[in-house]
């Protein structure tokens, strides 16, 4: 079992100006196996990316990268920024990089040639179910990954984001069943529903999802990430232990 901490966990500190590089040592002390940094949290990529890489190497931590952008633009063309994102990933010493799919429904080219030039053998590309109908449904994800694998892009995978199913009205259990074979990474957070509003609690056991049942459907040999804001390291440690108790780590 490999457990990653997504830096959304430390949102309050990030909002106060704490840099993601300064969170790397903290993640190591908390006993996680890696850190997932978020591109939108960086203020100065040129200085911060190599610093994250340096500190992660010193702590023997895995680095993953969450990029809040799409693979396919509104007109179906491949996002021209992908090469730059992968270069950033190489600086970080990444294992996995994550995007949303975007408008693959409008893509008309050849997938294999479209992705030529990206270091897919070096950094694993994954797509996530986001909170949109364009990229956040089983049909959208399966359609893209079926086509990618048929085109020979067999390293491409899927990030199962539990909490996001509440925002798209998707069935989290059926999604786990239908997308299990493509799942390379599991983002864990629960969701509350109060007075018609959805929220993200600071506890896996609070919310509408039976996360234990759902991860039993998914592959148990892939990476997991905790991805929800928590108040302090005591709470984070408790949640890490809750998770590890369940998976037998």
């Amino acid at each position: 079992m490999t457990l990653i901490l997504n830096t959304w966990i430390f949102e309050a500190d990030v909002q106060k100006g704490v840099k993601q590089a300064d969170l790397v040592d903290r993640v190591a002390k908390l006993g996680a196996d890696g850190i997932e940094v978020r591109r939108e949290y960086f203020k100065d990529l040129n200085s911060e990316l190599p610093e994250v890489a340096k500190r992660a190497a010193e702590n023997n931590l895995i680095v993953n990268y969450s990029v809040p952008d799409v693979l396919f633009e509104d007109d179906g063309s491949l996002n021209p920024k992908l090469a730059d994102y992968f270069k950033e990933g190489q600086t970080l010493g990444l294992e996995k990089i994550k995007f949303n799919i975007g408008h693959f429904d409008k893509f008309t080219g050849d997938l294999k040639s479209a992705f030529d030039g990206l270091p897919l053998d070096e950094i694993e590309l994954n797509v996530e179910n986001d909170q949109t109908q364009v990229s956040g449904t089983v049909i959208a994800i399966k359609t893209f990954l079926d086509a990618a694998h048929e085109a020979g892009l067999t390293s491409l995978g899927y990030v199962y984001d539990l909490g996001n199913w509440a925002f798209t009205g998707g069935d989290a259990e059926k999604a786990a069943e239908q997308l299990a074979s493509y799942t390379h990474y599991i983002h864990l957070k629960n969701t509350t529903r109060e007075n018609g509003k959805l929220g993200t609690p600071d506890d896996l056991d609070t919310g509408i999802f039976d996360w234990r049942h759902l991860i039993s459907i998914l592959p148990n040999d892939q990476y997991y990430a905790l991805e929800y804001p928590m108040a302090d390291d005591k709470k984070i440690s408790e949640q890490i232990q809750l998770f590890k108790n369940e998976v037998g780590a």
Side-chain angles (χ1 to χ4, degrees):
M1 186 280 299
T2 300
L3 180 63
I4 312 294
L5 297 185
N6 182 288
T7 53
W8 191 26
I9 284 175
F10 308 102
E11 182 183 32
D13 293 310
V14 171
Q15 296 305 324
K16 293 174 185 174
V18 174
K19 295 180 179 179
Q20 290 184 101
D22 295 326
L23 297 172
V24 177
D25 295 342
R26 193 167 159 193
V27 166
K29 289 177 182 176
L30 284 162
D33 301 298
I35 184 169
E36 181 172 9
V37 291
R38 302 174 71 93
R39 192 176 192 274
E40 68 270 27
Y41 281 177
F42 286 118
K43 300 292 191 297
D44 180 359
L45 290 168
N46 289 335
S47 65
E48 293 179 64
L49 295 181
E51 185 63 20
V52 167
K54 176 177 176 290
R55 295 197 188 186
E58 290 170 352
N59 285 285
N60 197 29
L61 287 181
I62 294 162
V63 183
N64 293 335
Y65 197 20
S66 172
V67 179
D69 204 350
V70 296
L71 294 179
F72 299 93
E73 301 284 327
D74 289 349
D75 62 358
S77 62
L78 198 70
N79 187 340
K81 298 177 184 175
L82 291 182
D84 289 335
Y85 295 145
F86 271 86
K87 286 177 184 175
E88 294 167 8
Q90 288 173 317
T91 299
L92 283 164
L94 285 193
E95 287 209 6
K96 299 176 186 286
I97 192 169
K98 174 188 73 68
F99 300 96
N100 300 321
I101 298 170
H103 277 283
F104 177 63
D105 56 323
K106 296 181 180 178
F107 178 73
T108 57
D110 176 76
L111 269 178
K112 187 73 166 62
S113 60
F115 283 87
D116 274 351
L118 297 178
L120 299 179
D121 56 342
E122 180 182 340
I123 299 172
E124 182 183 276
L125 189 159
N126 288 283
V127 294
E128 180 182 71
N129 57 293
D130 63 11
Q131 297 179 6
T132 72
Q133 292 300 315
V134 172
S135 305
T137 66
V138 170
I139 290 175
I141 296 156
K142 197 169 185 306
T143 298
F144 168 64
L145 288 174
D146 282 349
H149 281 235
E150 286 172 10
L153 300 168
T154 55
S155 65
L156 271 62
Y158 164 58
V159 180
Y160 178 93
D161 187 297
L162 172 55
N164 281 351
W165 292 113
F167 290 84
T168 56
D171 186 316
E173 182 169 357
K174 288 182 179 177
E177 292 168 352
Q178 294 178 49
L179 296 170
S181 64
Y182 285 131
T183 301
H184 290 182
Y185 196 10
I186 301 163
H187 273 187
L188 290 175
K189 56 177 176 277
N190 216 320
T191 305
T192 54
R193 183 182 285 119
E194 296 178 5
N195 301 319
K197 293 184 178 180
L198 297 174
T200 301
D202 66 353
D203 193 312
L204 274 180
D205 279 345
T206 300
I208 62 177
F209 294 116
D210 181 350
W211 65 274
R212 292 174 178 82
H213 172 62
L214 291 166
I215 66 172
S216 74
I217 299 170
L218 295 163
N220 61 11
D221 59 347
Q222 301 296 351
Y223 288 8
Y224 299 86
L226 301 185
E227 189 196 26
Y228 44 98
M230 293 182 240
D232 51 40
D233 287 3
K234 181 176 182 292
K235 183 65 177 181
I236 298 169
S237 294
E238 290 172 354
Q239 290 294 290
I240 289 173
Q241 197 55 52
L242 171 68
F243 172 75
K244 287 185 174 182
N245 287 344
E246 183 59 35
V247 299

